[in-house]
């Protein structure tokens, strides 16, 4: 018998209900749990993310160094352009980032509350540089 039933990534934000709409649509998921201070989304593939109310939440400033990246999400996709259009239509925004050497395999974005995430064409294979 497994000790841990499921893992859930939790993001703090000022308005979890609004941010849940973004992730529900992006992950083609459903609302699994909702309380006054937390909304949990279960993606179509079983991935779970929860949005927890913190009225003092401030987004990380990545890629700027002050209050920089603390954690971020990575989503593996087949079509970067199609998923980018979907992210923007849902209220996400592209982030300015250093140009990667070689073919562009990932793109950085922020969700409507400012949490950073990356769309990757393939799973990561090398350690982070810089």
């Amino acid at each position: 018998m497994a000790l841990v039933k499921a893992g859930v990534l939790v993001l703090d934000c000022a308005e979890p209900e609004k941010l849940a709409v973004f992730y529900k649509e992006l992950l083609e998921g459903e609302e699994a749990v909702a309380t006054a201070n937390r909304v949990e989304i279960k993606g179509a593939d079983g991935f779970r993310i929860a949005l927890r109310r913190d009225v003092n939440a401030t987004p990380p400033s990545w890629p700027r160094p002050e209050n920089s990246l603390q954690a971020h999400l990575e989503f593996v996709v087949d079509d970067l352009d199609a998923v980018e259009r979907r992210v923007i239509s849902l209220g996400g925004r592209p982030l300015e980032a250093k140009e990667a050497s070689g073919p562009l395999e990932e793109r950085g974005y922020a969700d409507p509350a400012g949490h950073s995430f990356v769309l990757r064409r393939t799973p990561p294979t090398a350690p982070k540089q810089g």
Side-chain angles (χ1 to χ4, degrees):
M1 181 173 163
L3 294 176
V4 177
K5 291 183 179 183
V8 180
L9 174 69
V10 181
L11 298 176
D12 291 344
C13 60
E15 299 176 283
E17 302 83 3
K18 288 184 179 179
L19 193 55
V21 172
F22 175 84
Y23 283 107
K24 184 174 153 183
E25 294 297 321
L26 180 63
L27 299 172
E28 297 178 354
E30 59 187 29
E31 192 173 286
V33 178
T35 66
N37 291 310
R38 179 182 166 118
V39 178
E40 187 173 317
I41 303 299
K42 181 179 179 184
D45 68 349
F47 175 77
R48 290 182 175 266
I49 186 169
L51 301 313
R52 184 178 69 167
R53 187 177 319 280
D54 177 352
V55 295
N56 296 314
T58 57
S61 61
W62 184 84
R64 297 181 316 276
E66 65 278 358
N67 187 31
S68 191
L69 182 65
Q70 298 152 5
H72 71 279
L73 300 165
E74 290 186 355
F75 298 108
V76 178
V77 302
D78 290 324
D79 186 337
L80 284 169
D81 293 331
V83 180
E84 177 178 271
R85 287 189 295 273
R86 184 69 175 146
V87 164
I88 292 169
S89 76
L90 293 169
R93 63 180 170 82
L95 293 175
E96 294 181 32
K98 293 186 259 182
E99 193 65 36
S101 59
L104 185 62
E105 296 180 327
E106 66 179 42
R107 297 178 190 166
Y109 301 88
D111 68 22
H115 303 104
S116 59
F117 64 94
V118 173
L119 300 179
R120 297 186 61 86
R121 192 183 326 265
T122 58
T125 57
K128 180 183 177 212
Q129 300 293 315

